[in-house]
Amino acid sequence: MMTLDDVPTIVAIEKESFTSPWTEEAFVNELTNNHFARYMVMDYEGDVIGYGGMWTIMDEAHVTNVAVREQYRGLGLGTKLMVELQRTAVMFGAKRMTLEVRVSNMVAQHLYKKLGFEPSGVRPGYYSDNMEDALIMWAELDSSGVELADDDE
């Protein structure tokens, strides 16, 4: 699980990954004040190289962030993070999971579709940096954990 000590590294990964990165204050607030928040880190040889976060509310999970350090991308680590988020969401009682993704981010959309997410709508002008629309995607979560796509990493 992510700790406050991880926040500076997480902020660095945010800046590598997103045009509108979350701030250190945002992550500190998530970890200290948001009892719906669940954040995890991916560790490699003692270094945090990725992370994922979500809110679990009732029987739904909402993915907030998923990112992997630039030099570790393309190795299936984003898939591993998403699968772990799905498994954790099921542990917390979630039956469905949702997320938003830029309509132009076809790489992420492909990953999410592989993990059972389906488009369900659009949030116009969702991203404040360029007013790009967000595609809303939903997935049903399998409580057995069997169907959570470990097949083609």
Side-chain angles (χ1 to χ4, degrees), residues 22-40:
W22 281 24
T23 62
E24 183 172 335
E25 294 78 21
F27 282 105
V28 168
N29 185 58
E30 286 289 284
L31 295 176
T32 58
N33 297 321
N34 184 350
H35 64 278
F36 299 114
R38 316 271 177 246
Y39 285 85
M40 60 186 63

Side-chain angles (χ1 to χ4, degrees), residues 93-111:
K95 306 229 181 302
R96 303 175 69 208
M97 180 176 262
T98 187
L99 53 79
E100 291 91 7
V101 59
R102 289 180 185 269
V103 293
S104 64
N105 191 344
M106 300 311 290
V107 171
Q109 287 178 44
H110 175 73
L111 165 65

Side-chain angles (χ1 to χ4, degrees), residues 2-147:
M2 186 186 295
T3 68
L4 290 173
D5 290 340
D6 296 321
V7 170
T9 303
I10 299 306
V11 169
I13 297 171
E14 275 279 303
K15 288 178 181 173
E16 286 178 13
S17 304
F18 304 112
T19 54
S20 295
W22 281 24
T23 62
E24 183 172 335
E25 294 78 21
F27 282 105
V28 168
N29 185 58
E30 286 289 284
L31 295 176
T32 58
N33 297 321
N34 184 350
H35 64 278
F36 299 114
R38 316 271 177 246
Y39 285 85
M40 60 186 63
V41 295
M42 179 175 275
D43 182 279
Y44 178 68
E45 295 182 345
D47 293 324
V48 173
I49 63 167
Y51 70 96
M54 66 183 162
W55 300 333
T56 54
I57 304 169
M58 305 287 282
D59 63 348
E60 293 181 352
H62 186 131
V63 176
T64 56
N65 325 57
V66 175
V68 173
R69 277 221 181 264
E70 212 164 6
Q71 66 264 37
Y72 294 99
R73 293 183 192 153
L75 303 173
L77 300 178
T79 300
K80 289 184 184 302
L81 276 168
M82 283 299 299
V83 167
E84 194 57 35
L85 282 174
Q86 287 179 310
R87 289 185 177 139
T88 302
V90 168
M91 247 179 30
F92 280 96
K95 306 229 181 302
R96 303 175 69 208
M97 180 176 262
T98 187
L99 53 79
E100 291 91 7
V101 59
R102 289 180 185 269
V103 293
S104 64
N105 191 344
M106 300 311 290
V107 171
Q109 287 178 44
H110 175 73
L111 165 65
Y112 301 143
K113 286 178 184 171
K114 185 172 77 169
L115 296 173
F117 285 85
E118 296 177 6
S120 67
V122 172
R123 294 193 199 284
Y126 182 78
Y127 293 97
S128 58
D129 62 327
N130 65 357
M131 300 311 293
E132 183 173 357
D133 295 348
L135 181 65
I136 304 163
M137 300 182 82
W138 282 91
E140 298 297 320
L141 298 177
D142 180 359
S143 61
S144 72
V146 174
E147 203 178 349

